[in-house]
Amino acid sequence: MLRRRNLLTTFLIVLPWALLLTLWHQYPATRYLILLRKETDENATAKARFNGTSPLREEGLLSCSWQQASGVAPKVIQNYVYSRPPPWSDTLPTIFVITPTYTRPVQKAELTRLANTFLHVQNLHWVVVEDSPRRTNLVSNLLEKAGLNFTHLNVESPQSLKMNGPSIPSHKPRGTLQRNLGLHWLRDSFNNTQPPEGVVYFADDDNTYSLELFEEMRYTRRVSVWPVAFAGGLRYESPIVSPAGKVVGWKVIFDRNRPFAVDMAGFAVSIRLILERPQATFKLEGVKAGYQESSLLKDLVTMDGLEPRAANCTKVLVWHTRTERPTLANEGKHGFSDLRMEV
């Protein structure tokens, strides 16, 4: 009996101290966790307010479907989010870029990439010409939202020149009617008015362009030329420039007998020269692929009149890239994904 009483006494003595020690050890940690949780919640709320999003989105609770947080008013973006191009200058020559384009799975991606480049170029007017019987909503909407100065045209090519398959016959030029319509628009626009100082450039929608290129061409007097990468089966094709700074030939493998063995992306023409020579157009009949450039340039300039740019044609500022054709085999005959979704 005495032994049991001693054990009970010892237990009652030790118990309060054990509880005190336990609370003393646990309280700082508990307080720290509470403060940390509070700080984390406050930071998440502040970050959400700064970004205009709900804290729930930051925690990964929402993905593609957005749900309004309770008590939080939805944010409505009414103005387009793209940054605008630099302000227009009355003293800077204008660059008129003519781009032929046609409907295909990667068309919007190509034009978006090109528009994002042009947004950084001052005094640029983009003339987009669709190979189509009508102007499509896809291209119209893209141009309206891009924030660029633009003109949207369309002309349909003959069926024999359409890009329906992987490629068209190598002897058939493509984009000819579209580029000519762009030239016609320029001549018609400045027929009865004083033409601006500027230059005309033919930029396909699948190439890659350095911003430096546009400043190189801006002050073209007649016809300026430069190297183009990934053209003609080479790392680059280029004009050959003499020590005196004159173009004397062409560093190419494909058909060296061309009068002007230059890629479409490798030259720009003064707009005044375009207006002075209304007969200068890209020829469709009797002209094989690779001679389109020559069919225009021979009516505008001679070799002596060419102006080498890009550090006397020692720098590559444009790349003849091509977007890989996407693999859509899993779409099936009727389409797995929603065909109403614009891609």
Side-chain angles (χ1 to χ4, degrees):
M1 185 70 178
L2 182 62
R3 184 177 179 182
R4 184 177 299 176
R5 183 181 301 172
N6 290 339
L7 288 175
L8 180 61
T9 302
T10 304
F11 175 77
L12 292 175
I13 294 174
V14 172
L15 179 62
W17 289 104
L19 291 175
L20 286 174
L21 288 173
T22 301
L23 290 174
W24 185 80
H25 280 292
Q26 287 186 349
Y27 179 76
T30 304
R31 178 173 175 79
Y32 174 77
L33 291 175
I34 293 173
L35 291 175
L36 181 62
R37 175 68 179 180
K38 181 179 180 182
E39 182 181 354
T40 302
D41 291 344
E42 289 176 351
N43 288 343
T45 303
K47 185 176 181 181
R49 288 175 180 171
F50 180 78
N51 293 330
T53 59
S54 166
L56 293 177
R57 197 176 186 89
E58 290 292 329
E59 296 177 10
L61 299 180
L62 300 179
S63 54
C64 293
S65 59
W66 185 86
Q67 297 178 6
Q68 180 180 340
S70 177
V72 178
K75 180 177 180 180
V76 179
I77 300 176
Q78 295 179 334
N79 297 324
Y80 203 68
V81 295
Y82 279 7
S83 62
R84 298 303 189 220
W88 197 272
S89 170
D90 293 332
T91 61
L92 202 63
T94 302
I95 299 175
F96 293 93
V97 178
I98 298 177
T99 298
T101 186
Y102 64 98
T103 300
R104 60 201 191 278
V106 298
Q107 182 184 29
K108 186 177 182 181
E110 302 279 32
L111 292 175
T112 297
R113 178 165 53 91
L114 198 52
N116 289 341
T117 297
F118 292 162
L119 279 169
H120 297 280
V121 183
Q122 195 169 9
N123 282 33
L124 184 143
H125 189 102
W126 195 12
V127 182
V128 179
V129 190
E130 289 194 72
D131 187 350
S132 171
R134 63 189 62 84
R135 287 175 289 181
T136 64
N137 289 333
L138 185 149
V139 177
S140 295
N141 293 335
L142 186 147
L143 292 174
E144 288 288 346
K145 295 176 181 178
L148 291 162
N149 297 284
F150 72 90
T151 297
H152 186 190
L153 307 170
N154 69 285
V155 59
E156 188 174 20
S157 295
Q159 194 64 34
S160 60
L161 299 181
K162 281 186 173 292
M163 292 280 291
N164 292 329
S167 63
I168 62 176
S170 60
H171 66 281
K172 296 289 188 180
R174 47 188 190 233
T176 304
L177 296 181
Q178 290 71 38
R179 296 185 186 98
N180 282 342
L181 182 59
L183 290 174
H184 176 77
W185 176 84
L186 284 172
R187 288 167 174 146
D188 189 59
S189 298
F190 301 108
N191 185 34
N192 299 316
T193 60
Q194 180 68 18
E197 292 289 339
V199 65
V200 180
Y201 182 52
F202 303 95
D204 289 349
D205 60 6
D206 57 353
N207 291 344
T208 304
Y209 305 90
S210 167
L211 296 179
E212 186 180 351
L213 174 68
F214 299 98
E215 301 312 314
E216 289 281 333
M217 73 174 71
R218 191 182 295 277
Y219 293 95
T220 297
R221 296 185 298 274
R222 295 183 69 80
V223 177
S224 56
V225 293
W226 48 79
V228 177
F230 313 138
L234 299 172
R235 291 178 61 243
Y236 68 92
E237 291 183 332
S238 174
I240 299 173
V241 182
S242 71
K246 293 288 185 179
V247 176
V248 296
W250 309 97
K251 189 174 183 179
V252 299
I253 297 297
F254 170 71
D255 205 340
R256 299 175 181 177
N257 295 323
R258 289 175 288 165
F260 296 91
V262 61
D263 187 84
M264 192 68 70
F267 69 93
V269 184
S270 164
I271 188 171
R272 292 183 182 271
L273 186 58
I274 289 290
L275 300 178
E276 290 171 2
R277 307 286 178 87
Q279 79 283 4
T281 59
F282 293 100
K283 308 303 185 291
L284 183 61
E285 298 298 330
V287 178
K288 61 182 180 180
Y291 280 76
Q292 281 288 295
E293 298 84 354
S294 295
S295 73
L296 173 74
L297 293 175
K298 67 182 180 59
D299 290 332
L300 295 172
V301 71
T302 63
M303 288 284 288
D304 290 338
L306 296 178
E307 307 160 32
R309 298 299 169 94
N312 269 347
C313 297
T314 61
K315 296 169 63 177
V316 170
L317 300 177
V318 55
W319 296 261
H320 206 298
T321 50
R322 291 181 178 87
T323 300
E324 182 181 4
R325 183 182 294 273
T327 301
L328 304 176
N330 288 336
E331 284 289 341
K333 184 176 180 180
H334 302 290
F336 176 80
S337 58
D338 189 347
L339 297 179
R340 295 170 297 179
M341 172 78 76
E342 187 178 277
V343 176

